[in-house]
Amino acid sequence: TDGYLEVSKRGYYIRIRDEEKELLYYFIKLIRKIYGNVKSNVVKIKDKNAYEARICSKKILSDIITYIPLSSTKEWSIPVELLDKEGIKSVLRILTQTEGSIFVQNRTRMIEITLANSEALTQAKYLFTILGIPTKEIRKDLSGGWKRYKLGISTKDNLEKFWRIIGFIPKTKKYYKFKKIMKGYKEYHKTNSREIIINIIRNHPFLPTKDIIKLGELD
């Protein structure tokens, strides 16, 4: 999802970029598990806070273009028909790791995956359903100046399911960030909010609504 292919006189290359070099080494480890000891390295990208993995293999490139056309970043799809349950987990873990963001706003925690490819995101939503993880409806987003699509996972129960069944790749920033916010997650029920409001009104009967909300630290 964060890579591109290159065919030149020098060879057949798969190049993958990310802020975390640990993630790139993890990916190379998976590649070698399948294809053997292929030629690869990880380098720092000049003037950018990112790294690039370079993997040289005609076999790997040929396998990739069997499922992902080179013409556009919007025209690839997940080979759903090839995936068993463990394969589904792996695909969603990589997709969430590379294209997902973790949001913490007030009392809201959310994982949101952003893609320009609506078909692949629709497939991902279907795969989450197979694993029993509910997601929000896919929505359009034009904030970046071009059309993208977003898929979110929220509520404590659903995020805990994601963490238990899929999770982020260990020893990465997203892994530690998500672990931290889930550790401090507090669920606020409507009954608790009702009790807070009633107690505030009893003690401050003439407060306006906005001050009640502020005192109660309510959304």
Side-chain angles (χ1 to χ4, degrees):
T1 61
D2 279 335
Y4 64 97
L5 306 178
E6 178 186 331
V7 179
S8 67
K9 293 180 180 179
R10 293 178 296 174
Y12 299 83
Y13 286 92
I14 300 95
R15 298 177 182 267
I16 308 164
R17 294 186 172 189
D18 199 86
E19 293 180 358
E20 295 192 69
K21 60 182 178 181
E22 292 82 5
L23 180 61
L24 300 178
Y25 284 120
Y26 178 87
F27 193 70
I28 289 173
K29 180 181 177 181
L30 295 181
I31 287 173
R32 288 178 172 171
K33 185 177 179 180
I34 298 168
Y35 291 97
N37 191 24
V38 298
K39 184 180 178 181
S40 63
N41 66 338
V42 175
V43 297
K44 176 80 167 58
I45 301 173
K46 188 177 179 180
D47 300 326
K48 289 187 178 182
N49 184 29
Y51 298 85
E52 181 178 83
R54 299 170 181 172
I55 300 130
C56 182
S57 172
K58 183 177 181 179
K59 170 61 177 170
I60 298 174
L61 188 142
S62 298
D63 285 351
I64 289 173
I65 62 175
T66 302
Y67 297 101
I68 303 176
L70 303 181
S71 59
S72 171
T73 58
K74 299 179 182 180
E75 294 177 3
W76 59 274
S77 61
I78 300 169
V80 176
E81 69 278 5
L82 300 179
L83 301 177
D84 59 11
K85 194 169 185 179
E86 290 305 311
I88 291 172
K89 292 178 185 179
S90 295
V91 165
L92 294 178
R93 184 179 299 115
I94 290 170
L95 185 66
T96 309
Q97 182 82 40
T98 56
E99 304 296 344
S101 300
I102 304 167
F103 289 100
V104 180
Q105 187 175 11
N106 296 325
R107 293 184 176 90
T108 300
R109 274 79 168 153
M110 181 184 292
I111 297 171
E112 197 165 58
I113 302 169
T114 304
L115 285 178
N117 185 337
S118 61
E119 179 184 351
L121 203 59
T122 301
Q123 288 179 304
K125 180 176 177 62
Y126 167 71
L127 294 178
F128 277 117
T129 302
I130 290 177
L131 297 180
I133 302 173
T135 58
K136 292 179 171 292
E137 292 303 314
I138 295 172
R139 64 182 180 87
K140 288 182 183 179
D141 176 67
L142 301 173
S143 60
W146 65 91
K147 186 163 63 176
R148 301 177 298 175
Y149 300 88
K150 292 180 178 289
L151 176 66
I153 303 171
S154 63
T155 78
K156 183 182 179 185
D157 288 344
N158 295 338
L159 291 172
E160 284 181 342
K161 283 182 182 178
F162 171 86
W163 183 244
R164 185 174 65 253
I165 298 170
I166 299 173
F168 289 98
I169 294 171
K171 299 180 181 179
T172 61
K173 291 178 183 178
K174 286 180 183 176
Y175 174 87
Y176 290 119
K177 181 178 181 179
F178 191 74
K179 186 177 181 179
K180 182 179 179 180
I181 69 166
M182 291 306 293
K183 187 177 180 181
Y185 204 118
K186 293 182 180 181
E187 188 172 12
Y188 292 82
H189 297 284
K190 290 182 179 179
T191 52
N192 293 340
S193 300
R194 181 178 180 274
E195 291 172 5
I196 291 170
I197 291 169
I198 289 173
N199 288 332
I200 291 172
I201 293 171
R202 281 173 178 163
N203 295 324
H204 309 277
F206 301 108
L207 278 181
T209 302
K210 63 179 182 179
D211 289 334
I212 293 173
I213 290 170
K214 187 175 180 180
L215 278 173
E217 296 182 350
L218 302 169
D219 291 334

